Amino acid sequence: MMLKHFEYKKYKGSIEFSKVDNCFYGRIVNIIDLVNYEAKSVSDLKKYFIEAVKSYSEQIK
C-alpha cells in the first residue's frame, strides 16, 4: 500500500516523487505558509516532514 500523505500532530504532508531529480518531496498541506521537505527514501521523507512540522510549530508560537 502506497502512502498518500503523512500525518503528525494536526498537520498533513504530501508525498510526491520527481523522476527528474530521482527524489521524494512534499510540503505541509494544511497551512497557509510554504514548508517543503525532500529525501531519497520515503522513510527519510517522513523524518524530514516531522522535522519540518516541529520547526514550523516553533516559528508560529
Side-chain angles (χ1 to χ4, degrees):
M1 179 173 79
M2 182 67 169
L3 292 174
K4 295 187 180 192
H5 63 271
F6 297 124
E7 290 187 31
Y8 180 71
K9 297 188 178 184
K10 62 180 182 178
Y11 299 96
K12 284 189 177 184
S14 65
I15 304 169
E16 305 289 337
F17 183 75
S18 170
K19 290 181 183 178
V20 173
D21 298 320
N22 194 34
C23 72
F24 292 92
Y25 66 95
R27 66 180 184 87
I28 301 174
V29 296
N30 56 334
I31 60 174
I32 294 171
D33 298 311
L34 179 61
V35 179
N36 297 321
Y37 43 89
E38 67 178 59
K40 292 291 182 184
S41 69
V42 173
S43 59
D44 282 345
L45 190 68
K46 184 172 185 176
K47 286 188 255 182
Y48 294 135
F49 162 67
I50 291 170
E51 288 176 13
V53 167
K54 287 178 180 178
S55 177
Y56 177 74
S57 295
E58 288 296 314
Q59 291 179 8
I60 61 169
K61 284 185 180 180

